[in-house]
Amino acid sequence: MVCGQVPRCRRLCRPRPFLLALVVALCLFCQTLTPLMSSSVLSAVVNGIAPNKLTKTQQGRYKEVSPSTIHCFLPGSNSETVKKIDVSILQYFGSHTRRAVLYAPAAHHETDRQLCQRILAKHGYTVTVLENRRLVEDLRHEGPYHSGMTPWDLFICLSSRRNDGTDCFQTEDLRNIEHFQKVNLLPEIQHFLCRKEGLCQIIKAFSDLQLPLVTPDCSGQPGLSRASTTRNVSQGSTITEQARASHPQHWWKQSMSTKLNQVSTTSDHKDILKAQDLSVIIKAYVLVTSLTPLRAFIHSTTMVWHPPKKKHFTIKLKRFFEIFFRNSSPQQAFNNMKEAINKLLLITEVFSKSSPSGPNSFNQCSQCFQMLTFDIGFSMSIHPVVLKVHENFDFQVENESTIQDQISKELLFEDTFKFLLSNESSTSSFIEALQKIYGSSVSKDGTYNREDEQCFSLEQINSMITFIKELKSLGQFELLFPSSAPKIQMLLQELYRMVDPMRRLNSVLTVHWLLSSVLQQFQFMNKEAHTNLSEWQLSQENMSPKQNVPSDFRKNHEALHYSSKTGERQCSYDKDTLSHIRQIFTSPQLDLNPQFNPKIREYYAEVPFDMVTVKIGAEPSNCQCHVHLDDKNGPSNANYPLGLGLNKVIILLMDDSQPSPEVVSSYRITIYREDRPSLPLFDDYMMCGFVQDCASKIRPEESCGLQPLSHEYLSAISQTVFKTCEAGDTKGQWIVPCLSCSDNRTCDWREITWQPHGCRYSLLAKPELQRCMEGRRILFIGDSTNRGMMYYLIERVNKTLQEWQKTHDVKCYHNINEGKTFISYSYYPQFWMNANQRPTFEKALEQLLQRSRPLENTDQTVLIVGGVQWLNSNHLQIIQKVLNRENLSNILVIVKSIGMGFHLPVDGIHSLSQAEVQNLWNENLIILDTAKNLGYEVVDTFVITMGRYKEFLQGKCGCHFHEVVKSNPSEERPHITMTLSRHYTLGKYFGSQSKPSQLQDYATNSQSPYHVRGPINQVYSEILLSRLCANKREFVST
């Protein structure tokens, strides 16, 4: 820097432009080092492992100056990297002194103190017991290196028989806690879950959520005023209300409100949640090892209370749910309980980060933990209610304690400390998990690229390593959170969106994502994942109700449920039950809304995107009736495919006592399958590409899933002038913007586009398309997928779709393009007929040609043939033979190749194995090569559909990527995210050439009674149009 001489006491510096630019660049670079804001930040390069300088303390212990030291390492990091991380973690977070402090209040349980001393001593701890509160206060204020004691690693506050409102460790003193110190105290949880005033704050702030909680009387609580509560979530609530208004469940509830009022299934908590109304109360023992981000575990043992007689016993959670819910759904009941606990813990995390006092109103302690007891009640249903949350492991049996109770308590504490104090090495597993999460690219000489480096703060590394250590040391605990349950993941996102509309807390969500990804990779690397209740087999041996269960308890609940023994059926001959079904079975378990009641005939359920099938069955109440699904001859239970959007299942109840069985009643289940989880497009995104899904690899030798796209590739497809694709089978890939290519939940799937390699397909405006179609006769022959392309073409040309039907015969349309274009369609193959009665392909083609005459022997006549998987090269030879015979050898023939479908295990249709699905690739290539050798145009639909095979719409085959819906706004059902992309889905990197407004015109035409919906069908239908008009275009604009 050059500085000129200026008057005294003042210097004026004029930096050179180059140096000024350098300073700005450095500032921008430093901003990118804010950890975990996005996947691209995670990949930021920070040179080397450069921890801050270490300062020697008075006790000879080394302590890092900053806990946010950034560590970077390559995916292929060696043992030296693992060693360096281990050393850093040990220096900053490790336990060196193995000294524990037990604070025993005056009214503590002597047995608890002795038990903790014995367990800690077994783990090599020197234990100091403090009973004088002043000593505890001195210890708190002096810190670990200034008191007269040796620095402690673990501080345990024992519970007291008296609740005098004083804590052994004050919240404000957590700021003096060192990172290597652990205290059994998370003040946020104690305040919001274990105190009445905290619960009232949560209830007022999240009044719209249906909390599974006994509502305390908050009338006398100062708490939050309605205004102050609303202020925190006002923006989020507005968004939530708008979303709710357009959500299918809101629509369904509106239409069902009258019926729900007639048979109400919900009541005020105060009316239904009295102890005498509960069938059973259990104590769920939960260990929270981190609140932000949440990590929580539940113990396998529970204490069960029988309210009427106040009897209790200890039993394994698994055994309890097997016995109590033996004839309904033990798995779903257990999941409901975990969901209820997770919901309260997540709300506590979110609310503590966004409380009116600010996110720093609670001082974070990185290694503090909290032992909790959730008192949970069950009545007649599988839905739990949280009655109370205790801030320690609670037993409440001092006056009636048995030897078995004491043994259970000792085992619970032993399991807890064994879990907390595990020395399981996990750094190498952490490195391996990151390799799987972020992937790696190896250069030709076997080395890793520098840009593949991943960077984290030491605190973040310790959090992930500790989590893996916990997963390796579960013992008698089961993971509660992170949870892969879609409901919980959605709740997490919605809560943070509600309280943080400005996304200031996005870094917390990113750490949540990291932990979920680590969990996924850990379970993949360890095939024998921790035990859960998802595969309970309720055998007669398992169901033997012995082991610790009082006989009166068994009799009471066995009377509530029917026996589930194979072949045994409970029914009645009462005429009043003639029109009722007894229960509905679903697998996986559906959360029916409302809860099942024989008098309610319509139900609604929502399922996540990845749930593509569900098994449904029902049992009649009357012995003279039988159940059939969808039609009078349907099965009593069946596996259904779930297309995106709304799916309807009809349960018919047939009276078999009549000479001719008749339908006495019907039930309807409407199941809404959600679209792909999607994030809005942020400024900080990367482009990812994919051809096939890793869950169904068609080409095992090729990569699967999202892959990052190179800058060279993106530059090539972003050029202004781009040549037009010369064939309809040009290879390509789907590209989509994401925050991270390693997690498809971070992508904006609304912006997905099909990108051919090295070219683009032309998008024809309506006038150009109408000129291309003028005077032409277009003949379609094929199945429903071909019919979907036909209706798409009609709507594009006419700008409306005036009529629509599921044609299974020959149909002719004369009113296309103001009468200037003729279109005909023949359904083939007619699979519903006996094989010996079905018309052959040759006969069906001849019939279509005859019905469509007069036909010119030029490209003014177009034959479009294809379907899902019936087409083969023999059919193409037949086409050539028939056209030659009919003197039509010069017409334009376009072959739609095969597509994905029949890949789901659905009752009533043939389902392909994975090997058969993979073989479709070779069959498709044969069809394409044969067609081109015969001089036919092709549209390759297989390569387009195989990577998005889960995005099918309604239909048993799982092969429909289109649906025709009513487009009248007053009649149309709620928005199902199947609208056309804001950017045209055929082309280059969201370029302006797509002219989205032109394509949207016909989709939003209010005069059109019907509309063809489906973005995947849109892609290959537009390719079809480009091949139809390829020879009609004299100039292609860019």
Side-chain angles (χ1 to χ4, degrees):
M1 182 177 293
V2 179
C3 302
Q5 295 295 325
V6 296
R8 190 178 179 183
C9 299
R10 185 177 180 187
R11 292 177 65 86
L12 178 62
C13 300
R14 295 184 176 86
R16 295 177 181 174
F18 169 78
L19 294 179
L20 182 60
L22 181 60
V23 171
V24 172
L26 285 173
C27 292
L28 292 174
F29 178 74
C30 291
Q31 289 178 9
T32 65
L33 297 185
T34 304
L36 298 175
M37 288 300 291
S38 69
S39 60
S40 61
V41 174
L42 288 173
S43 300
V45 178
V46 180
N47 293 325
I49 301 178
N52 292 348
K53 294 181 180 180
L54 304 177
T55 58
K56 194 171 183 180
T57 66
Q58 294 179 1
Q59 299 296 331
R61 176 184 173 85
Y62 282 87
K63 185 174 76 167
E64 288 190 55
V65 175
S66 171
S68 57
T69 299
I70 299 296
H71 286 241
C72 299
F73 39 89
L74 292 166
S77 297
N78 53 26
S79 58
E80 188 65 23
T81 302
V82 174
K83 183 178 179 181
K84 288 182 179 179
I85 294 177
D86 278 335
V87 169
S88 298
I89 293 293
L90 182 62
Q91 287 176 339
Y92 202 77
F93 297 96
S95 173
H96 285 256
T97 63
R98 306 294 286 183
R99 188 172 188 85
V101 176
L102 288 182
Y103 172 64
H108 75 280
H109 304 280
E110 182 67 16
T111 54
D112 289 355
R113 180 182 62 78
Q114 294 173 354
L115 175 61
C116 287
Q117 281 183 278
R118 185 170 69 251
I119 294 173
L120 291 173
K122 190 193 305 184
H123 285 276
Y125 274 81
T126 301
V127 182
T128 300
V129 179
L130 298 179
E131 297 182 349
N132 189 319
R133 188 165 187 79
R134 180 173 298 176
L135 291 176
V136 177
E137 292 173 355
D138 292 341
L139 179 67
R140 293 200 314 254
H141 290 96
E142 290 177 357
Y145 299 111
H146 300 87
S147 66
M149 296 173 46
T150 304
W152 52 270
D153 297 315
L154 180 65
F155 194 104
I156 302 295
C157 300
L158 297 177
S159 59
S160 173
R161 285 189 293 264
R162 286 201 307 264
N163 187 8
D164 55 6
T166 58
D167 297 318
C168 73
F169 217 96
Q170 298 299 322
T171 302
E172 59 268 24
D173 292 323
L174 286 177
R175 67 172 59 94
N176 294 322
I177 293 294
E178 298 292 327
H179 282 267
F180 65 89
Q181 294 180 313
K182 297 179 181 179
V183 181
N184 65 331
L185 168 68
L186 288 172
E188 305 94 322
I189 290 180
Q190 291 191 356
H191 174 75
F192 288 114
L193 290 186
C194 306
R195 306 282 193 274
K196 181 178 178 180
E197 58 270 28
L199 282 174
C200 289
Q201 285 180 286
I202 285 180
I203 290 168
K204 289 183 179 180
F206 299 95
S207 57
D208 290 339
L209 291 180
Q210 296 180 348
L211 297 179
L213 185 68
V214 172
T215 307
D217 181 12
C218 300
S219 57
Q221 293 291 325
L224 297 173
S225 68
R226 190 67 188 172
S228 64
T229 304
T230 309
R231 184 172 61 249
N232 276 317
V233 296
S234 58
Q235 291 177 279
S237 297
T238 302
I239 296 171
T240 304
E241 287 300 326
Q242 292 173 351
R244 186 181 294 115
S246 63
H247 198 276
Q249 186 172 7
H250 175 77
W251 157 78
W252 184 85
K253 286 183 177 178
Q254 291 277 340
S255 63
M256 288 293 295
S257 58
T258 303
K259 297 178 182 179
L260 289 176
N261 288 334
Q262 293 173 354
V263 188
S264 178
T265 57
T266 59
S267 304
D268 189 358
H269 281 312
K270 295 179 182 178
D271 294 330
I272 65 172
L273 300 179
K274 299 173 183 177
Q276 60 266 30
D277 294 335
L278 295 172
S279 300
V280 67
I281 298 174
I282 68 172
K283 288 185 175 291
Y285 297 107
V286 173
L287 178 62
V288 180
T289 57
S290 170
L291 182 61
T292 307
L294 179 64
R295 301 198 315 268
F297 304 82
I298 187 170
H299 197 266
S300 62
T301 300
T302 185
M303 183 171 286
V304 182
W305 296 75
H306 196 210
K309 297 186 179 181
K310 297 184 178 180
K311 291 187 176 181
H312 74 274
F313 58 93
T314 302
I315 191 174
K316 293 290 185 182
L317 266 174
K318 178 179 176 179
R319 291 283 297 125
F320 163 75
F321 282 96
E322 284 176 345
I323 295 171
F324 191 82
F325 299 100
R326 60 180 297 179
N327 295 314
S328 52
S329 175
Q331 174 62 60
Q332 189 60 44
F334 180 71
N335 287 345
N336 290 345
M337 183 189 73
K338 292 196 295 184
E339 180 181 327
I341 295 172
N342 276 332
K343 181 180 284 189
L344 292 177
L345 291 174
L346 282 174
I347 287 174
T348 302
E349 174 191 337
V350 173
F351 201 49
S352 66
K353 295 291 290 183
S354 60
S355 64
S357 304
N360 296 322
S361 54
F362 295 96
N363 295 285
Q364 292 291 320
C365 170
S366 63
Q367 296 207 83
C368 288
F369 59 95
Q370 186 76 55
M371 296 178 249
L372 295 171
T373 303
F374 285 75
D375 288 353
I376 295 176
F378 286 94
S379 54
M380 300 289 289
S381 77
I382 61 175
H383 298 283
V385 175
V386 178
L387 306 175
K388 187 177 181 180
V389 182
H390 304 267
E391 62 188 45
N392 282 294
F393 288 160
D394 180 76
F395 298 88
Q396 292 183 341
V397 291
E398 288 80 26
N399 298 329
E400 303 175 13
S401 181
T402 64
I403 295 177
Q404 182 61 42
D405 293 332
Q406 186 60 31
I407 293 174
S408 298
K409 178 189 287 189
E410 291 181 7
L411 291 174
L412 178 60
F413 276 94
E414 285 181 358
D415 292 337
T416 301
F417 284 106
K418 182 180 179 181
F419 176 82
L420 288 170
L421 305 176
S422 169
N423 290 321
E424 183 78 34
S425 176
S426 303
T427 307
S428 58
S429 298
F430 161 72
I431 297 292
E432 186 178 356
L434 285 186
Q435 291 178 27
K436 301 291 184 180
I437 294 170
Y438 292 103
S440 58
S441 56
V442 186
S443 61
K444 294 180 179 179
D445 59 358
T447 62
Y448 287 84
N449 297 324
R450 194 68 178 171
E451 56 267 22
D452 291 326
E453 237 176 357
Q454 307 300 331
C455 303
F456 305 92
S457 72
L458 199 57
E459 281 184 322
Q460 293 155 1
I461 294 175
N462 183 63
S463 177
M464 289 182 278
I465 290 179
T466 302
F467 180 49
I468 295 177
K469 185 184 299 184
E470 290 167 345
L471 293 177
K472 287 184 174 183
S473 310
L474 284 169
Q476 294 300 311
F477 283 91
E478 178 177 341
L479 180 65
L480 262 179
F481 197 91
S483 170
S484 59
K487 280 187 179 180
I488 297 300
Q489 288 292 329
M490 186 179 301
L491 175 67
L492 173 67
Q493 299 286 338
E494 287 297 325
L495 286 174
Y496 270 99
R497 189 176 297 124
M498 183 186 299
V499 303
D500 182 37
M502 303 305 294
R503 293 186 170 90
R504 295 187 180 94
L505 301 176
N506 264 10
S507 58
V508 180
L509 281 176
T510 309
V511 180
H512 271 291
W513 169 81
L514 268 174
L515 290 179
S516 296
S517 301
V518 167
L519 171 63
Q520 182 181 3
Q521 295 304 326
F522 177 83
Q523 291 177 330
F524 180 79
M525 291 185 292
N526 299 270
K527 304 268 185 193
E528 297 179 359
H530 60 278
T531 303
N532 56 40
L533 306 184
S534 61
E535 299 295 335
W536 285 353
Q537 300 296 326
L538 306 184
S539 63
Q540 290 299 312
E541 178 181 355
N542 287 341
M543 292 307 303
S544 178
K546 298 177 181 178
Q547 189 192 13
N548 239 4
V549 186
S551 58
D552 55 345
F553 175 84
R554 293 198 308 270
K555 292 176 182 177
N556 179 42
H557 295 295
E558 287 175 355
L560 297 178
H561 305 287
Y562 71 97
S563 173
S564 62
K565 294 179 181 178
T566 304
E568 185 175 330
R569 173 183 168 189
Q570 276 199 1
C571 56
S572 168
Y573 287 93
D574 188 342
K575 290 185 178 180
D576 292 338
T577 64
L578 198 63
S579 63
H580 294 161
I581 61 174
R582 196 168 185 277
Q583 64 177 340
I584 296 173
F585 308 98
T586 61
S587 177
Q589 184 75 25
L590 296 181
D591 185 11
L592 295 180
N593 189 356
Q595 292 183 23
F596 176 73
N597 184 312
K599 297 180 181 179
I600 299 178
R601 307 295 173 141
E602 295 195 21
Y603 298 89
Y604 176 87
E606 294 181 2
V607 299
F609 170 77
D610 286 322
M611 185 171 168
V612 293
T613 61
V614 63
K615 190 147 187 112
I616 296 179
E619 181 179 309
S621 297
N622 195 283
C623 300
Q624 297 179 343
C625 294
H626 281 87
V627 165
H628 298 275
L629 299 180
D630 289 335
D631 62 60
K632 295 180 180 181
N633 298 317
S636 60
N637 62 81
N639 210 35
Y640 280 87
L642 296 176
L644 293 177
L646 296 176
N647 302 264
K648 295 180 181 179
V649 178
I650 305 298
I651 302 174
L652 300 177
L653 195 59
M654 307 284 294
D655 182 3
D656 293 341
S657 64
Q658 304 297 324
S660 176
E662 58 183 35
V663 177
V664 293
S665 66
S666 65
Y667 293 72
R668 181 195 299 267
I669 304 176
T670 301
I671 305 170
Y672 175 78
R673 178 169 163 240
E674 298 169 343
D675 207 346
R676 278 185 181 273
S678 183
L679 288 179
L681 184 60
F682 297 105
D683 291 336
D684 187 15
Y685 66 87
M686 61 192 304
M687 298 306 301
C688 310
F690 71 98
V691 176
Q692 60 179 343
D693 192 303
C694 293
S696 179
K697 295 184 69 172
I698 308 298
R699 305 281 288 160
E701 68 276 10
E702 296 182 4
S703 63
C704 64
L706 294 172
Q707 303 293 327
L709 300 178
S710 67
H711 293 294
E712 293 76 15
Y713 177 83
L714 294 176
S715 298
I717 65 175
S718 300
Q719 57 186 301
T720 305
V721 180
F722 217 50
K723 72 173 185 178
T724 302
C725 297
E726 298 178 353
D729 63 342
T730 302
K731 295 297 181 283
Q733 63 181 327
W734 292 103
I735 65 174
V736 61
C738 306
L739 293 180
S740 169
C741 293
S742 61
D743 189 347
N744 59 25
R745 296 169 299 178
T746 69
C747 303
D748 189 349
W749 291 99
R750 300 167 302 175
E751 300 291 353
I752 190 170
T753 178
W754 175 256
Q755 180 61 56
H757 296 324
C759 62
R760 68 175 177 88
Y761 290 106
S762 301
L763 170 63
L764 284 77
K766 181 189 172 186
E768 190 177 11
L769 181 61
Q770 289 176 332
R771 287 194 299 271
C772 165
M773 297 295 169
E774 189 172 333
R776 304 184 84 169
R777 302 181 78 82
I778 303 175
L779 290 62
F780 286 83
I781 183 169
D783 56 26
S784 54
T785 61
N786 210 16
R787 187 175 61 210
M789 297 172 70
M790 178 190 71
Y791 282 127
Y792 183 93
L793 168 61
I794 293 174
E795 188 177 4
R796 279 281 273 123
V797 174
N798 281 357
K799 202 177 178 180
T800 66
L801 185 59
Q802 294 295 325
E803 61 175 308
W804 167 79
Q805 56 184 277
K806 291 185 177 180
T807 306
H808 287 85
D809 201 347
V810 178
K811 178 75 173 176
C812 298
Y813 299 89
H814 299 273
N815 60 340
I816 310 302
N817 198 11
E818 299 178 348
K820 300 173 183 176
T821 304
F822 170 86
I823 292 180
S824 60
Y825 171 77
S826 175
Y827 191 96
Y828 183 86
Q830 295 176 330
F831 55 86
W832 58 90
M833 300 177 65
N834 293 330
N836 57 355
Q837 295 177 336
R838 294 176 193 166
T840 63
F841 177 71
E842 184 173 351
K843 187 170 184 59
L845 178 58
E846 288 176 344
Q847 183 184 20
L848 176 65
L849 294 173
Q850 292 302 320
R851 291 282 299 272
S852 305
R853 290 189 182 276
L855 300 172
E856 296 180 15
N857 189 20
T858 67
D859 65 358
Q860 286 294 91
T861 301
V862 183
L863 176 65
I864 301 171
V865 59
V868 185
Q869 290 159 18
W870 60 267
L871 185 69
N872 59 47
S873 58
N874 292 331
H875 294 101
L876 303 183
Q877 302 292 344
I878 293 172
I879 291 173
Q880 185 187 42
K881 180 177 71 174
V882 171
L883 293 181
N884 286 335
R885 187 170 63 225
E886 299 292 330
N887 195 28
L888 293 171
S889 57
N890 294 325
I891 71 171
L892 174 61
V893 179
I894 303 178
V895 177
K896 171 199 172 298
S897 72
I898 60 181
M900 278 296 289
F902 298 97
H903 52 280
L904 302 173
V906 176
D907 294 321
I909 64 172
H910 173 67
S911 298
L912 302 179
S913 66
Q914 181 61 27
E916 290 173 317
V917 171
Q918 291 175 347
N919 192 49
L920 292 176
W921 175 271
N922 294 324
E923 294 179 17
N924 193 62
L925 290 179
I926 293 173
I927 291 172
L928 294 173
D929 289 343
T930 303
K932 289 187 288 187
N933 288 336
L934 292 172
Y936 301 157
E937 289 277 2
V938 295
V939 176
D940 185 1
T941 53
F942 187 71
V943 71
I944 292 174
T945 57
M946 73 181 201
R948 300 179 70 180
Y949 69 98
K950 289 184 180 179
E951 298 178 54
F952 61 91
L953 300 169
Q954 287 67 35
K956 282 191 173 183
C957 64
C959 64
H960 295 142
F961 297 94
H962 78 280
E963 62 177 344
V964 180
V965 297
K966 289 184 178 180
S967 57
N968 189 329
S970 63
E971 299 179 9
E972 188 177 4
R973 65 194 183 189
H975 177 64
I976 310 181
T977 67
M978 283 283 96
T979 55
L980 296 172
S981 170
R982 289 197 300 275
H983 295 285
Y984 180 49
T985 58
L986 257 180
K988 51 173 202 166
Y989 193 35
F990 313 143
S992 60
Q993 56 84 25
S994 59
K995 305 175 185 176
S997 60
Q998 294 179 7
L999 193 63
Q1000 290 293 332
D1001 287 343
Y1002 82 94
T1004 57
N1005 189 349
S1006 60
Q1007 302 302 315
S1008 178
Y1010 300 99
H1011 168 54
V1012 182
R1013 175 181 283 164
I1016 300 174
N1017 177 76
Q1018 176 196 2
V1019 167
Y1020 53 68
S1021 294
E1022 286 293 336
I1023 296 177
L1024 170 67
L1025 297 185
S1026 75
R1027 304 328 302 153
L1028 265 170
C1029 302
N1031 296 328
K1032 299 283 184 178
R1033 308 190 76 210
E1034 298 178 358
F1035 176 75
V1036 178
S1037 63
T1038 59

